[in-house]
Structure formats: C-alpha cells, structure tokens
Amino acid sequence: MENLMHLLEVLNVALNDFFKTLSDLLWGWPLIVLLLGTHIFLTIRLGGPQFKLFKAIRLSVSKDKDSTGDVSQFGALATALAATIGTGNIVGVATAVALGGPGAVLWCWLSGVFGIATKYSEGFLAIKYRIKAPDGRMLGGPMYALERGLGWKWLAVLFAVFTALASFGIGNTVQANAISTLAYDSYGIPVNLTGGIICLLAALVLLGGIKSIARVCGALVPFMALLYVLGCIYILIANGQHVWPAVQLICKSAFTPQAAGGGFVGTTVIMAARYGIARGLFSNESGLGSAPIVAAAAQTRNPVRQALVSSTGTFWDTVVICAFTGLVIVSSIIAHPDISVEDGAALTKAAFSKIPYVGTPLLTFGILTFAFTTILGWCYYGERAVEYLLGKRWMLGYRIVFVIMVFVGSIINLDVVWNAADCMNALMAIPNLVALLLLSGVIARETRHYLWGNRLNDYSPDQQDN
C-alpha cells in the first residue's frame, strides 16, 4: 500500500508538471497575440459593432417570441454570463495586478472593448449554423460552424472533445473546490458538507435542462452582479481621494515601466500587457467558443440580433465588472500601502475588508454565487458537446457524472485539474478562432445587411426554415 501511495504521488507530480508546462506554452504570447489580433481584425472588418452597444443592451431585455428558439435572448445571455462571470473577475484581476502591476488593468479593459466584436461574431455563427434537433431543440456552437460552414468535421469533433473535458475542469471541479475551500476558510464548514449541498443544489437545477438553467441564472446573475458592483462603488467612495490617482497610475503604467514602491512591485510594459490581456481574455471568454453554444438556443429572428445580444456579455463581464475590480484594487493599494500585493486572493480580501462589517461576507457571497452559476453554465456547454459527439442518449448520463464530479471537486486537491483545464480552454480557442477568421466574410456580409442596413427586424431565410 505504501508503495502504491508513493507511486500515485509521483504520478500526480509528473502530471501536474506536464500540464503546467503545456498550459504555459499554450497560453503564451502566440495565442494571446492571436486572440487580441482576432478582436482587432473583427472590430475593423465589421465596422465596429461596439458602436451599437446601447441598441444591443435594449435588445437583450426584449422578447422575440415569434422566433424559433428554446429560451429568450436574455435567458441565453444570462446563462452565458453565469459561465463567464466567476472568480476570475474578482481574484483574477487582482492576480493580474500582482503580477503585471496596475497597468494590467487597462490592458484587461482594452481586451474587453475589442473582444466585444469577437463575442458578436461568435453569437452570429451560433445562430447562422445552428440546427433543429428532431425533438425541436436548437443546437449550435463552433462545432456546427466548423462542420456546416467550413466542412471540417474533424476539427469540429476536436472542439467538442476539448469542450467536454474542460467542462469537468474549469466549469465544475475547480469551481466547487473554490466554494468548499472558501466556506471552510471563512466559516469552518467541512468541505464534504459543502460539497454535498452544492451537489444537491446543482442536481436540482441541472436535471431540469436549459430552461431550468436559464431561469435560475436569469434570477441570480443580475442580482449578484449588481450587489458586487455596489460593493465596489462603496469602496471607491471610501477611497475617494485616491481614485483619480489610481486611474492615472493605471494608464501611465500600461505604457511605461513601473518602478517598485507605493505597495507595488516593479513591472515592465510587457508584463503589464501580458497579464492584463491574458486575464481579460480568460475572464470574458471572447474567442474561447463557449458562449455561442448557449447563444444558439436563443429565440431570435436573424443571426445579427443575437450577435448583438451576445456581445453585451463581454461588456458587462470585462468592461464593467473587471474595470470596477481593478479600480478597487489599485485605489486600495494606494490608500493602504501596507496591503500585500504578492497574492491575488489575499489582495482582494484585503481590499474588501475595508467595507465595515459586510465587506468580507459580501466578497464571500460574490465568489460563492459566481462559482455556482459558472457550474450551471458550463454543464450546458459540456452537455451539448457530448450530444454532438455521442448523441442525445448520453445526456442524462453526462448530467449525473457532472453532478458527482461537483462533490469530488469539493474534497480533493486540484492542482493537476487546474492546469489541465487551462490546457483544454486553450485548445478550445484554436478551432473556434479558425472558424471566426475563415467565416468572417459571411459575418461581415450579413452585418452590413441587417445591422448597418437597418434591417434588424427582418427574418432571415435560414431562421424561417428552422
């Protein structure tokens, strides 16, 4: 038995080292440049869909009942936001500041601004190439765009495999572990008890399918996001005299080296750009290919309408929430130079502890709800990927295994899973970016027709066929 335990420990270390090395390679400069380059390319080619942001927000809260789809546009958006708004928006931004300095906040924000065009394009392809299943459900996502738009079934299969694997990592076990660890560290609640509760709650929602998931996310996401933003506003008011200096420091540090001092470590422009862009891309998932899987279920009369609605996800996720978090972190460090900036989680906790009485509970509640809704959203992504690969008969089995893994993730060490999940996410992005770039002509043509031609209320022929 002792030899077996030693062998398992050695295997665990070897796997962790392998996936960490692969993750560092995949998420290096080539992929970051490719993602940011795609954002900028699509922004230019589509004429800047960011300029239609207010129209997109209005469409996201309107109903298009006469159109085909499984859930409302808002339900699809809320489910996508549930999967993207997570611990990365809170702890992740602080980590970017700790590693890349205050300038990382601006690079993170810029990745969100340009990423709106990529999320728009993903939503477009999701509707354009979706299909209607025999039972009437709408199915779509990058795998269908790759197969139907480009005729590349093999690449579609690879994307679906990576998505299914990622759903058990970043979308399941790591989120459940974050919840159980936080509950234990903050309130001493045993991890197995927390795991059991999360498992039960997840099962009650997930076994009801997309309509149940969309209903719960539609109720939780706006509430939790608003509560978190209000907490950020309170801290910024408390740090009032330091907010403008924080803005100046963020902008200056994004383009000039940051010397050590004032609570910050010394950083270069390259470090600020690398960590800021990487965190922005990772938090809003623009280019990852996950959000269009649920966008395909939306009730919409033409692909451009849902493309606009989908694009608001990146706006809320990065341009708003990550920006608030960044300002809170940097202004808090300026106001309290004694705050340690070496660890992102500790940095976030220290900033929110400045809210009397409710600061720590607010942060705890935010992370708990963000992580739980991420589990809900990613279950849908993984389910659609498994259905694409194996058929509908495997859906119930996938849900059961997914719920079991929620409990497993709550009670085990996840270093290997974290690094493996990072690899799967990067491998998801590559096929999706291929589809976006090679089908950009189709996206641009219909964008000119529906968006810039003021025909957003028209029904597209392919949607009428569905």
Side-chain angles (χ1 to χ4, degrees), residues 96-104 253 256-260 264-272:
V97 173
L99 296 174
S253 301
T256 57
Q258 169 68 33
F264 295 101
V265 296
T267 58
T268 65
V269 176
I270 291 178
M271 290 171 63

Side-chain angles (χ1 to χ4, degrees), residues 125-289:
L125 294 180
I127 300 298
K128 178 69 176 178
Y129 295 108
R130 69 181 179 178
I131 64 171
K132 179 181 284 187
D135 60 3
R137 292 175 301 117
M138 306 304 296
L139 306 176
M143 51 277 204
Y144 293 93
L146 286 163
E147 179 183 353
R148 303 184 69 209
L150 295 174
W152 292 359
K153 175 78 173 180
W154 64 274
L155 196 55
V157 168
L158 284 178
F159 175 85
V161 169
F162 297 142
T163 302
L165 292 174
S167 71
F168 287 108
I170 196 66
N172 182 323
T173 51
V174 297
Q175 303 297 331
N177 191 265
I179 295 173
S180 63
T181 301
L182 182 64
Y184 179 78
D185 291 343
S186 301
Y187 304 105
I189 302 174
V191 293
N192 56 346
L193 176 59
T194 303
I197 295 173
I198 304 169
C199 190
L200 177 61
L201 292 175
L204 291 174
V205 178
L206 297 176
L207 295 179
I210 179 58
K211 292 185 179 180
S212 175
I213 295 173
R215 185 165 56 249
V216 172
C217 292
L220 278 179
V221 169
F223 174 72
M224 69 183 189
L226 178 62
L227 194 63
Y228 176 74
V229 169
L230 288 176
C232 289
I233 291 174
Y234 180 91
I235 297 176
L236 292 177
I237 292 174
N239 294 341
Q241 62 179 322
H242 304 290
V243 172
W244 180 243
V247 172
Q248 292 177 310
L249 182 61
I250 287 170
C251 294
K252 178 182 177 182
S253 301
F255 303 103
T256 57
Q258 169 68 33
F264 295 101
V265 296
T267 58
T268 65
V269 176
I270 291 178
M271 290 171 63
R274 176 181 177 182
Y275 291 109
I277 294 172
R279 179 46 51 197
L281 297 173
F282 196 76
S283 68
N284 60 51
E285 296 184 10
S286 293
L288 193 63

Side-chain angles (χ1 to χ4, degrees), residues 338-349:
D338 58 313
I339 293 179
S340 173
V341 298
E342 296 181 358
D343 178 73
L347 178 55
T348 307
K349 188 174 181 179

Side-chain angles (χ1 to χ4, degrees), residues 22-108:
L22 182 59
S23 175
D24 291 342
L25 177 64
L26 290 171
W27 283 106
W29 274 110
L31 183 56
I32 291 175
V33 170
L34 178 61
L35 280 163
L36 186 61
T38 300
H39 292 350
I40 296 172
F41 169 75
L42 290 173
T43 295
I44 296 171
R45 181 154 199 188
L46 302 180
Q50 293 91 335
F51 293 114
K52 295 292 184 179
L53 181 61
F54 292 111
K55 182 183 288 291
I57 293 173
R58 288 197 299 271
L59 284 175
S60 69
V61 294
S62 63
K63 294 184 178 180
D64 206 354
K65 289 185 176 180
D66 295 333
S67 302
T68 55
D70 302 331
V71 295
S72 67
Q73 292 176 318
F74 178 76
L77 174 64
T79 304
L81 280 173
T84 53
I85 297 179
T87 54
N89 299 84
I90 304 176
V91 178
V93 174
T95 301
V97 173
L99 296 174
V105 176
L106 181 61
W107 286 108
C108 178

Side-chain angles (χ1 to χ4, degrees), residues 207 395-405:
L207 295 179
M395 287 170 53
L396 180 59
Y398 170 82
R399 291 178 189 172
I400 293 173
V401 174
F402 190 90
V403 170
I404 293 173
M405 290 303 296

